[in-house]
Structures are given as structure tokens and as C-alpha cells.
Amino acid sequence: MKKIYSVLIIEDDFRVAEINRQYVEKVAGFDVQKVVKSGNEALQYLENCQNMPDLLLLDLYIPDVEGLELFWQIRHEYHEVDIVIVSAEKDTSAIQETLRGGIFDFIVKPVDDERFAQTLSRYKKYRNYMQSKKELEQADIDYLTGFRRLLDSHSPDQELPKGIDSITLDKINQLLNDKMAAGVTAVQLSKLLGISRSTARRYLEYLVSIKKVKTKLNYGTVGRPERQYICYETYEQNY
């Protein structure tokens, strides 16, 4: 039987709460269990509910609580619940504190539909992965903690598409993350790795399809513009 993950939304603005509910229910495998609008209502619900939600979507600005008080109370009393912060808060110290408290993710308002879906997809992947294991090897832990920075590309147990080899893919990921801040063309990558241009383009387009890499056109001085492939995080910071 396919697992459905239940979600509790804690949001005082009913319009935002409704948008978040719609976002959640657009992603297969998730169901909104309840929407509450205050800290008191959230705590009462958690205390009395028979089936604890799997995931909380928590706004940090709740009128009847001070700062991160609600976050820490939930974290201390309900260890089994995972938390994603959905908030307009951008203060570094506040975000760092929630990271120390073990949040799964932090989404800044106004929420982007695609970014929201990525978080839920990654959460489902994480839960399914944990449920498939009785023990975790170092490679599993590295994968889960993002040590290899491949959480959104592939896992040790995931079957890659035909023509995509995990070792070559790892090399390209490492290259794009560490050494190619300006990005790389298929021609450049083929020379760097000693592979054909078509093979390089196949790997780069696969990384685009899983949203690990973004592209921009490099017009140069002569000829047709070339597609420049740039690490997603680098692209978001610089373009």
C-alpha cells in the first residue's frame, strides 16, 4: 500500500494557509490533515490528535507566541514530527536556530510553487529511503545529509536512465559545483572528461531535467549561441 504523508499547516493568514494547502495536495502522496491558525490551536490539536501528522508546515510569525517559542515547544514535545518552516523571516540567526533545531527545510515567503513541490518531493524521497533501511552505511548517511551534494540528482539505490553512468555523473556534478562557477558548454565538458560531445550533452541535459543545472545562452563573437550549463545554486546567486 502506498504511503500517504499527513501534513499539519500552522498559519494565521487564512489566504496563505489555503494556498499552502493547495500546494500540498497537488503533490502525490501528501494529504493535509488539518489547518490551524494559532500556537494554542496547534498545541491543542497535537495533544489530542489520535494520528500524529508526519510533517508540519510552520509559520514563525504566529500572533499568540513569541519568536521561536512555538517551534521549540513542538520540537521538544513531538520528536517524531518533521518540520518545514514557511515564513517571511530572513534573519540569519533565526534561520540558524531552526537549522540547529533539526528542520527539514526552510521556505521563504512568498512561496514559489515549484520550490514548494521540490521540498515535498525531497521529503517523500527521504522518508521512503529511511523506511527501506534497517541500518545505514556511511554512503547512506552521506546521501541523506547531502555530504555528496547529490540529494536532488540520484541516490545509491535509484536506477539512472539508460546511458547515464553514476561515476561519470558524479564527476560532472563535482566539476560543476567546485570548479566551473561560470558554467560549461558541452564542447568544453567533452574535452575536460575525454568524452564525446553528444555524451557530454546527454549528461548535462539530464542534470537540467532533474533541476540540478540551469542553462543560459552564450552568444560569443561568432556563430550560433551555445548553451552554457551552470550549477543550479550558482545560477540562482548570480543570474
Side-chain angles (χ1 to χ4, degrees):
M1 184 176 178
K2 194 171 183 179
K3 171 70 176 176
I4 302 294
Y5 296 105
S6 58
V7 179
L8 172 64
I9 297 174
I10 306 173
E11 169 62 62
D12 68 297
D13 187 324
F14 72 92
R15 292 161 296 189
V16 175
E18 176 59 20
I19 291 170
N20 290 348
R21 184 190 66 77
Q22 292 176 16
Y23 282 169
V24 170
E25 295 187 342
K26 281 170 62 177
V27 181
F30 289 89
D31 179 63
V32 175
Q33 183 171 310
K34 181 74 173 177
V35 176
V36 298
K37 61 182 182 299
S38 69
N40 184 57
E41 191 179 351
L43 293 172
Q44 285 187 358
Y45 180 78
L46 290 169
E47 184 178 351
N48 297 310
C49 72
Q50 295 182 344
N51 297 309
M52 192 63 59
D54 297 296
L55 181 65
L56 267 63
L57 302 183
L58 173 63
D59 183 10
L60 293 183
Y61 294 129
I62 301 294
D64 63 334
V65 292
E66 187 76 25
L68 296 174
E69 178 184 312
L70 179 61
F71 166 73
W72 281 115
Q73 189 168 353
I74 292 173
R75 186 74 289 160
H76 288 149
E77 296 180 14
Y78 303 99
H79 303 285
E80 69 274 34
V81 176
D82 292 307
I83 299 175
V84 169
I85 302 297
V86 183
S87 177
E89 178 64 80
K90 293 183 180 180
D91 180 71
T92 301
S93 62
I95 295 171
Q96 188 174 38
E97 188 172 340
T98 62
L99 289 168
R100 288 175 178 145
I103 59 168
F104 183 79
D105 202 355
F106 195 115
I107 302 176
V108 177
K109 293 179 180 178
V111 178
D112 176 80
D113 185 3
E114 185 177 344
R115 177 64 174 80
F116 199 102
Q118 287 174 358
T119 291
L120 293 185
S121 177
R122 194 159 52 89
Y123 179 75
K124 181 165 57 175
K125 185 191 299 185
Y126 156 73
R127 288 293 301 268
N128 291 343
Y129 193 79
M130 292 296 285
Q131 289 165 10
S132 71
K133 303 283 185 178
K134 290 186 177 180
E135 293 184 344
L136 297 176
E137 302 296 336
Q138 185 65 61
D140 300 313
I141 297 168
D142 290 348
Y143 163 66
L144 289 169
T145 59
F147 180 76
R148 295 171 63 198
R149 289 172 295 178
L150 297 175
L151 190 58
D152 291 324
S153 58
H154 71 281
S155 72
D157 292 343
Q158 181 179 338
E159 184 177 349
L160 292 168
K162 184 177 180 181
I164 302 294
D165 171 75
S166 63
I167 296 175
T168 303
L169 189 64
D170 286 358
K171 288 180 180 178
I172 295 172
N173 268 298
Q174 194 72 29
L175 189 70
L176 287 168
N177 277 293
D178 291 347
K179 301 175 182 177
M180 306 298 293
V184 66
T185 66
V187 173
Q188 291 169 334
L189 184 63
S190 69
K191 293 178 180 177
L192 286 167
L193 296 184
I195 57 179
S196 70
R197 187 182 307 179
S198 61
T199 298
R201 185 175 293 107
R202 180 169 67 248
Y203 278 88
L204 290 168
E205 289 296 333
Y206 170 70
L207 290 171
V208 172
S209 74
I210 61 172
K211 304 186 188 306
K212 189 74 176 177
V213 163
K214 297 194 77 168
T215 64
K216 73 180 188 74
L217 289 178
N218 180 12
Y219 288 91
T221 55
V222 294
R224 295 187 308 172
E226 290 182 290
R227 279 165 70 86
Q228 195 89 4
Y229 297 83
I230 304 167
C231 173
Y232 193 92
E233 293 179 4
T234 302
Y235 188 97
E236 292 296 296
Q237 292 171 4
N238 298 305
Y239 297 96

